[in-house]
Amino acid sequence: MSELERDPVFGAVARQLCARGDASPGCESPPPYASVNCRAGVVPAGERAVLEEHGVRLLPLGSSTAPWPEEFAAAVDRERMEQAARSSACAAALLAASDAAAAQRAAPRIQGVVNVTPDSFSDGGRCFDPARAIEHGLALAAEGADFLDVGAESTRPGATPVSVEEELARAIPVVAGLARQVAIPISIDTTKAAVARAALAAGARIVNDVSAGTQDPGMLGVVAERRAGYVAMHRRGDPRTMQTAPAYGDVVAEVLEFLRERCFRALAAGVPRETLWVDPGIGFGKTLAHNLELLRRLQELRSLGLPILLGVSRKSFIREITGADTPPAGRIGGTAAAVALGVVGGAEILRVHDVAVMREAALVAREIASC
Ligand code: PMM
């Protein structure tokens, strides 16, 4: 058994979590009766008995056709599961995964982007001046953003890295200024532990790390120590190299495996599971075909049982589809389409530049999808 499979959350149960309310004729347990698909041997016999006693039936992997954890969340009897969780680690893990799945049914949340860079592709340095960046963040909050994401190093393909000193000088006054004036949580978009630490001290509450901890070995420790939220995003290579002929066998499986491994590392470093989000990293080391495949099969990432953050806003895959030479700020229709389908695919947090419009798109998509 791998290290991951032994982990109570990502392992035996949540990894295979793939459940449905059981409507089979002849089922004697009182409804609701929830089934979980589980590979043979991963749940110890003693735990299996406790689960069955409390209304959860373990089925062999592949014997159920309804694959998503929220169906388990809807079918499970919470009170009985809480009882089971007292004597079964598997039941506790299932309950945690089921809660995460239930949270995913809640309204999508919008993260507004504040780039304090001279060279971001999406807004071309509009907010490089700290006072303008703060003003922009306040405007996004007024438009209804649930979070603000402050970034001071461009991640666009070909971007040159900036030093820690430069990134601190750009980001910290903006984080501090916004934290004094808005009640919504602020995330710092950085791959550097020193920047994350300073931003958390200045009032940020979440670290958005597009390298998922692969760039700076100190990052996960800082996040755990400060009990901050953490976004682990998938990317291949770094901004200088990532668009040089990216290749995958199965892009979704590879992104999923990467995120699973990175989240496991975050958990091992002491980052609480409740504060982890995952992100497939649209446009980061991916061709148009890879981006489309990830968006089409986004729901497969839900098997991690963690909220999915999706960043599609104004990205160049939209231009590649439309062929229109519109500047990034004009890609609103394409962004709204991708946001709407992302919500249907299970994205819970949408990272966008145009908060009010995308909030509307996300809410309408959510409502239609949950009918
Ligand atoms: N995209 C950009 C920057 N940071 N962070 C996350 N988690 N996900 C993304 O997709 C993402 C990101 C690049 O876009 P920008 O230049 O508009 O910030």
Side-chain angles (χ1 to χ4, degrees), residues 115 121-122 155 189 208 210 233 279 284 309 311 315 351 353:
N115 281 328
F121 82 93
S122 51
T155 51
D189 185 345
N208 173 21
V210 300
M233 195 198 81
D279 181 339
F284 285 81
L309 185 148
K315 287 196 173 165
R351 182 183 181 279
H353 303 85

Side-chain angles (χ1 to χ4, degrees), residues 21-252:
D22 193 340
S24 28
C27 169
E28 279 163 23
S29 297
Y33 194 91
S35 308
V36 179
N37 284 36
C38 192
R39 199 167 47 222
V42 289
V43 176
E47 300 231 357
R48 178 176 282 265
V50 176
L51 286 171
E52 298 224 334
E53 229 173 79
H54 290 86
V56 177
R57 182 193 279 173
L58 298 175
L59 301 175
L61 196 62
S63 62
S64 163
T65 50
W68 305 120
E70 59 266 41
E71 295 180 33
F72 177 83
V76 78
D77 180 333
R78 203 184 156 89
E79 214 173 293
R80 296 177 80 195
M81 275 300 280
E82 276 171 8
Q83 277 171 16
R86 287 186 206 124
S87 52
S88 156
C90 288
L94 265 175
L95 204 54
S98 135
D99 284 348
Q104 237 165 300
R105 299 163 77 88
R109 288 172 289 165
I110 303 294
Q111 183 182 53
V113 178
V114 181
N115 281 328
V116 201
T117 54
D119 55 346
S120 275
F121 82 93
S122 51
D123 45 24
R126 217 165 54 90
C127 297
F128 192 40
D129 169 57
R132 286 196 73 176
I134 292 171
E135 201 182 300
H136 184 60
L138 295 177
L140 296 182
E143 278 184 43
D146 299 291
F147 306 95
L148 293 176
D149 188 38
V150 177
E153 177 174 46
S154 172
T155 51
R156 79 180 155 73
T160 333
V162 296
S163 66
V164 178
E165 294 69 30
E166 176 66 19
E167 200 177 327
L168 286 169
R170 292 178 186 178
I172 303 308
V174 178
V175 169
L178 284 171
R180 275 195 296 272
Q181 298 180 68
V182 296
I184 53 176
I186 297 167
S187 59
I188 176 74
D189 185 345
T190 188
T191 55
K192 300 184 182 82
V195 176
R197 183 184 289 284
L200 294 170
R205 282 155 57 183
I206 302 164
V207 176
N208 173 21
D209 179 1
V210 300
S211 80
T214 58
Q215 192 158 315
D216 188 331
M219 179 62 100
L220 295 175
V222 169
V223 174
E225 182 195 313
R226 302 290 313 222
R227 301 196 72 72
Y230 188 64
V231 183
M233 195 198 81
H234 174 273
R235 80 172 178 190
R236 264 283 168 83
D238 61 36
R240 275 173 303 181
T241 59
M242 66 190 184
Q243 288 309 112
T244 315
Y248 299 83
D250 177 339
V251 65
V252 179

